[in-house]
Amino acid sequence: MIVPAAQHVHTLLASYPDFPLPGILFRDLNPVFADAVAFRAIIDDLSDRYSGQFDAVAGIEARGFLLAAGIGYAAECAVLAVRKGGKLPGIVLTEEYDLEYGSARLEVEVGQLPAGSRVLIVDDVLATGGTVAATARLIERAGYVTIGVGVVLELAELDGRSRIGGVPVHTIVSV
């Protein structure tokens, strides 16, 4: 019997209260990623949702890299690394954004894909939407087209979708 990705996430997801700060309930996907069957179900779910619609997949540092690598392999497409600030050589584009508890910046190298490439953005969690929105801006500024966003877990009460605009978002599990 094939178990849907959502069921794997519900079964394996760990939660840690007051981490990294008091009042925050941290949802840990590492046990989900550590289970080979669950990880495959997640990769299949995210890649199948947007099948034929993307030329490349952009993974947001760090756990988005895991998803992007799996999806890139499954879909036989390019993988674009969206890195934290100061990690990339050469000519880069930078976007600053706010986190749930701070601020940060993301970067992408210029010219990694042909202009107009259709890009699927993936990450592990959609919380306030700042990271995904910054990534979408980077993708557009680099001359590519964001066709959608795929995440494993959405923290619905934080309303991150509202910051992303009209980009389609596929979530495996929403809590």
Side-chain angles (χ1 to χ4, degrees):
M1 177 171 111
I2 297 175
V3 177
Q7 187 173 337
H8 286 291
V9 174
H10 283 297
T11 301
L12 298 168
L13 182 69
S15 297
Y16 295 93
D18 299 319
F19 182 83
L21 298 170
I24 294 175
L25 178 62
F26 184 82
R27 309 294 181 130
D28 186 13
L29 287 166
N30 283 330
V32 181
F33 294 154
D35 184 288
V37 174
F39 186 69
R40 182 180 186 114
I42 287 167
I43 296 303
D44 289 346
D45 183 292
L46 293 173
S47 60
D48 290 350
R49 175 63 58 144
Y50 294 102
S51 180
Q53 299 177 47
F54 59 97
D55 307 307
V57 58
I60 303 171
E61 189 167 343
R63 288 183 287 188
F65 291 171
L66 301 171
L67 298 168
I71 293 167
Y73 177 80
E76 298 182 24
C77 72
V79 175
L80 183 66
V82 179
R83 301 287 318 262
K84 294 177 182 174
K87 304 270 186 170
L88 292 173
I91 300 171
V92 298
L93 297 173
T94 302
E95 278 289 330
E96 305 228 356
Y97 65 101
D98 293 325
L99 298 165
E100 299 89 324
Y101 32 84
S103 64
R105 65 186 175 140
L106 292 174
E107 295 178 340
V108 68
E109 286 182 84
V110 174
Q112 297 300 299
L113 303 170
S117 292
R118 302 169 302 160
V119 179
L120 170 63
I121 297 171
V122 294
D123 205 4
D124 58 338
V125 176
L126 174 60
T128 63
T131 307
V132 173
T135 300
R137 289 191 302 272
L138 278 174
I139 296 301
E140 300 296 322
R141 287 179 52 213
Y144 316 136
V145 178
T146 302
I147 63 91
V149 173
V151 296
V152 178
L153 183 68
E154 180 176 3
L155 306 179
E157 74 266 6
L158 298 178
D159 194 29
R161 285 178 185 249
S162 67
R163 294 187 65 189
I164 299 170
V167 177
V169 178
H170 171 61
T171 300
I172 294 174
V173 170
S174 182
V175 296

